[in-house]
Amino acid sequence: MKRAKKKIFADFIAQRGLKTTKQRDIILDSFLSSDRHLSIEDLYLKLRAKHPNIGYATVYRTLKLFAEAGLAREMQFGDGQTRYEHVGEGEHHDHLVCTRCGHIEEFENETIEKLQDEVANSRGFLIERHRLELYGLCSGCRK
Amino acid sequence: MKRAKKKIFADFIAQRGLKTTKQRDIILDSFLSSDRHLSIEDLYLKLRAKHPNIGYATVYRTLKLFAEAGLAREMQFGDGQTRYEHVGEGEHHDHLVCTRCGHIEEFENETIEKLQDEVANSRGFLIERHRLELYGLCSGCRK
DNA sequence: CTTTATGCAAACTATTTGCAACAAT
DNA sequence: ATTGTTGCAAATAGTTTGCATAAAG
């Protein structure tokens, strides 16, 4: 799966006439073996630990490339930190966000999606995407 | 209704030992007679037209006060602009956002809310609040 | 060789803060 | 008088960009 995603990125790079670089390899590798909702800063710090001379700008630019390649998606959970979440093909999910510890869980619910479509239809809206986030205390933090 | 909200704010101000000022009156008045999802910048520009010497910082600070007083709620729709929406007591609604013209509509759906609670319960989450936004083309922009 | 990528620092955007002058109580 | 408020400019946080140098094709 990590292999498959690397392939996707390699193809994307090739097809756009871009170049394979050491940095992109490192960043992709680190991204793929990280938490599914990593903030840019966290990824940057994680990278710096092993590769002290990698630049912040490169991380930003490379994450944008991942997004264009369809490997990642930019997300904001309102804490002022942009996160990139891992994207699998065609998959979609929503989020539970713990306001205390920051833990993020994913969920899917067919019925909710269906109801959303109904709402949109009744208003003449054509939905492209949506976001649904439930904020509160995770089971761990409730105690 | 505008009157009622002004009363709420006046009470809030009094009860906190804060002061009534010309600026706060002007900003509240302008806020109350604006679009329900106004960006800070839009409000600022609107204000500047009549009151050229009002400061950006004052607008920021005052809007935060409105939020604390329960008159407004801070919202982000991902375009880098913070908006403040009007809040009525106990009311909650979600949003349809047009990605082309920026139009924002509100909707409510009991069933979706109920399903959200179920999801949260099944994960042991205690929901404090949620956000649901449907992005796409509004009826006008579909043509 | 030619073109793209990198790292750094400077630029930018949205927002917040310090502070002296000012207004409300 | 006292305390909170304003407007400005400077500070901050997150992100983007210009550019000379370096690396990939």
Side-chain angles (χ1 to χ4, degrees):
Chain A
M1 168 183 187
K2 209 162 146 175
R3 191 122 245 103
K5 296 204 166 177
K6 288 190 179 180
K7 177 74 165 49
I8 292 174
F9 188 61
D11 291 349
F12 170 83
I13 285 292
Q15 167 196 328
R16 295 254 278 227
L18 304 179
K19 288 170 180 173
T20 305
T21 69
K22 221 183 319 175
Q23 287 86 334
R24 288 180 177 164
D25 289 346
I26 292 167
I27 297 173
L28 180 54
D29 206 68
S30 187
F31 174 71
L32 291 177
S33 56
S34 292
D35 184 61
R36 288 184 54 81
H37 303 91
L38 205 66
S39 73
I40 298 177
E41 184 170 16
D42 288 345
L43 182 56
Y44 175 69
L45 292 176
K46 184 176 163 185
L47 283 163
R48 283 297 276 222
K50 288 216 166 201
H51 309 274
N53 51 338
I54 219 158
Y56 224 128
T58 303
V59 178
Y60 270 94
R61 291 188 276 231
T62 306
L63 284 171
K64 285 208 181 303
L65 277 186
F66 294 170
E68 289 180 58
L71 296 177
R73 184 186 298 120
E74 220 173 301
M75 309 238 58
Q76 314 262 163
F77 293 108
D79 61 349
Q81 295 264 223
T82 296
R83 286 159 201 283
Y84 278 86
E85 94 173 342
H86 296 211
V87 180
E89 41 269 281
E91 109 193 359
H92 167 78
H93 52 254
D94 297 305
H95 297 93
L96 288 151
V97 182
C98 180
T99 51
R100 189 148 172 286
C101 71
H103 171 68
I104 300 172
E105 261 176 58
E106 302 172 350
F107 72 90
E108 265 182 282
N109 187 301
E110 265 304 315
T111 317
I112 291 180
E113 312 265 317
K114 214 167 293 171
L115 289 166
Q116 289 174 2
D117 288 339
E118 281 174 26
V119 171
N121 283 335
S122 74
R123 305 293 189 99
F125 249 82
L126 182 66
I127 297 190
E128 290 161 352
R129 65 202 157 79
H130 71 258
R131 76 193 268 175
L132 170 55
E133 288 143 24
L134 310 180
Y135 294 89
L137 293 178
C138 71
S139 54
C141 289
R142 285 176 74 166
K143 289 162 202 166
Chain B
M1 167 186 187
K2 209 162 146 177
R3 189 123 246 103
K5 294 203 167 178
K6 287 189 180 180
K7 177 71 164 51
I8 293 176
F9 189 61
D11 291 349
F12 171 83
I13 286 292
Q15 168 195 327
R16 293 254 276 228
L18 303 179
K19 287 170 179 170
T20 305
T21 68
K22 222 182 319 175
Q23 288 86 335
R24 287 180 178 162
D25 288 347
I26 292 168
I27 297 173
L28 179 54
D29 206 70
S30 187
F31 174 70
L32 291 177
S33 56
S34 293
D35 184 61
R36 288 184 53 80
H37 302 91
L38 205 67
S39 72
I40 299 177
E41 185 171 14
D42 288 344
L43 182 57
Y44 175 69
L45 292 175
K46 184 177 162 184
L47 284 163
R48 282 298 274 222
K50 291 217 165 201
H51 310 274
N53 51 337
I54 218 158
Y56 224 128
T58 303
V59 178
Y60 270 96
R61 291 188 275 229
T62 306
L63 284 170
K64 286 210 182 300
L65 277 186
F66 294 170
E68 288 180 60
L71 296 177
R73 185 185 297 119
E74 219 174 303
M75 309 240 54
Q76 313 264 163
F77 294 109
D79 61 349
Q81 296 263 222
T82 295
R83 284 160 202 283
Y84 277 85
E85 92 173 343
H86 295 213
V87 179
E89 41 270 281
E91 108 194 1
H92 168 78
H93 52 255
D94 298 306
H95 297 92
L96 288 150
V97 182
C98 180
T99 51
R100 190 148 171 285
C101 72
H103 172 67
I104 300 171
E105 262 176 56
E106 302 172 349
F107 72 90
E108 264 182 282
N109 188 301
E110 263 304 315
T111 319
I112 291 180
E113 311 266 316
K114 213 167 294 172
L115 288 165
Q116 289 174 4
D117 287 340
E118 282 175 26
V119 170
N121 283 335
S122 74
R123 307 294 190 96
F125 248 81
L126 182 66
I127 297 190
E128 289 162 353
R129 64 199 158 81
H130 72 259
R131 77 193 266 176
L132 170 55
E133 289 143 23
L134 310 180
Y135 294 90
L137 294 178
C138 71
S139 54
C141 289
R142 285 176 74 166
K143 291 161 199 166

